[in-house]
Amino acid sequence: MSKPKVLVTRRWPDAVEARLKALYDVTLNESDVPMTAEQMRQALKDYDAFCPTVSDKVDASVLDVAGARTRIIASYGVGYSHIDTEAAKKAGFVVTNTPEVLSECTADLAITLMLMAARRAGEGEREVRAGNWTGWRPTHMIGTKVSGGTFGVLGFGRIGREAAKRAHGGFGMKVIYFDPFPVKPELAAETGAEKRDTIEEVLRESDVVSLHMPGGKDNYHLINAERLKMMKPTAILVNSARGEVIDGKALAEALKAGTIKGAGLDVFEGEPRIEPSLLECENAVLLPHLGSATQATREAMGWRVMENLEAFFAGQAPRDRVA
């Protein structure tokens, strides 16, 4: 019996690729160069399973393929705003993601961004590396104390709750949150988190605002110029979710004008392109989408994709189906 044909769009950890080779007739992207829309369309015609990542824009034009052979799109990543799930449903594709396994490391990264922005760590390292540091002095590079402050979470799902645990347990921060969906009381109780009824309430009260909302059209530019003005001038904005949740130009203007104190960003709208005006902001920490970038987590994401593939090809419902 022939093995299912599987295409993987980017390089994955070696251990996961080895397991894929053992189980499937797999084609790997050895060059690790992103596929074009036409290449993805062709893949849907030639393979039983198509495995993209969050860097692949699988929109309606890609999915509109006559006589597609692919039946499952098993994405490597928790977010799936890069896939047009409505178009996928209409075309008969099953779509899966990889939740849960990256929550802790992404939350760790959110706290890293908070601390780097608050304590001006990026600025400090640049000064040292450039040979411009003249030594310790009482007024040099004064930052912001986060311990004991208010940690506001927009999107109190798995990653948002993990970030809240770290802020509350590690830094004694009060946690407040907004989520459009109900949160079980026992989950909020883990950090003593207090619900707020609107995004605006969280923005006004928080010393740090950490974004954990999904991307897509519903949350496009959720943080815009108007909402940035609602934040405290001493506040830090952190985004380890999806780049399109923030209006990058508006954020750069707010950082330059002192509307808010600083920002820590791991994701960007249209990445790897970054809004040029953000690059001019010394009070912005900019990281290259490192949220899940640990060996253990990137492997766990691969194993989760394989669980979904194995279930699908066994005629069972994949555990992480999103469309």
Side-chain angles (χ1 to χ4, degrees), residues 43-226:
L44 293 175
K45 296 178 182 179
D46 296 340
Y47 292 86
D48 300 298
F50 177 66
C51 299
T53 71
V54 295
S55 64
D56 300 303
K57 188 177 181 181
V58 188
D59 59 19
S61 67
V62 170
L63 296 166
D64 183 19
V65 175
R69 176 172 174 173
T70 294
R71 295 270 58 89
I72 180 170
I73 298 173
S75 188
Y76 182 98
V78 64
Y80 49 91
S81 60
H82 59 293
I83 301 173
D84 187 329
T85 52
E86 289 303 315
K89 287 178 187 176
K90 289 178 183 177
F93 296 109
V94 169
V95 179
T96 61
N97 68 339
T98 63
E100 300 172 356
V101 294
L102 48 70
S103 300
E104 292 183 339
C105 284
T106 304
D108 289 347
L109 202 282
I111 299 301
T112 300
L113 289 167
M114 174 182 77
L115 294 174
M116 288 185 70
R119 298 303 300 272
R120 303 174 65 178
E123 293 176 74
E125 188 184 29
R126 287 191 290 275
E127 183 178 88
V128 170
R129 288 183 179 276
N132 295 329
W133 183 43
T134 59
W136 185 91
R137 56 193 188 275
T139 58
H140 179 235
M141 208 163 281
I142 302 298
T144 301
K145 179 182 178 181
V146 297
S147 294
T150 298
F151 188 77
V153 181
L154 296 182
F156 210 59
R158 293 185 186 95
I159 300 172
R161 294 196 302 273
E162 287 293 337
K165 288 178 186 177
R166 287 151 175 74
H168 180 69
F171 301 95
M173 300 183 80
K174 174 183 176 180
V175 176
I176 62 175
Y177 73 91
F178 167 81
D179 197 295
F181 302 102
V183 174
K184 293 180 180 179
E186 60 269 24
L187 295 177
E190 292 175 347
T191 54
E194 298 177 8
K195 179 180 181 295
R196 295 294 183 265
D197 293 327
T198 65
I199 291 170
E200 288 74 15
E201 289 176 87
V202 173
L203 295 176
R204 291 188 181 104
E205 293 181 42
S206 300
D207 298 299
V208 177
V209 175
S210 192
L211 304 180
H212 301 283
M213 306 286 271
K217 62 182 184 297
D218 291 342
N219 291 323
Y220 181 74
H221 288 186
L222 184 82
I223 302 300
N224 53 26
E226 181 181 359

Side-chain angles (χ1 to χ4, degrees), residues 15-17 19 296 298-308:
V16 181
E17 289 189 344
R19 183 65 176 158
R298 291 287 169 87
E299 288 185 358
M301 292 165 66
W303 304 138
R304 195 72 172 237
V305 171
M306 293 189 65
E307 280 186 51
N308 290 319

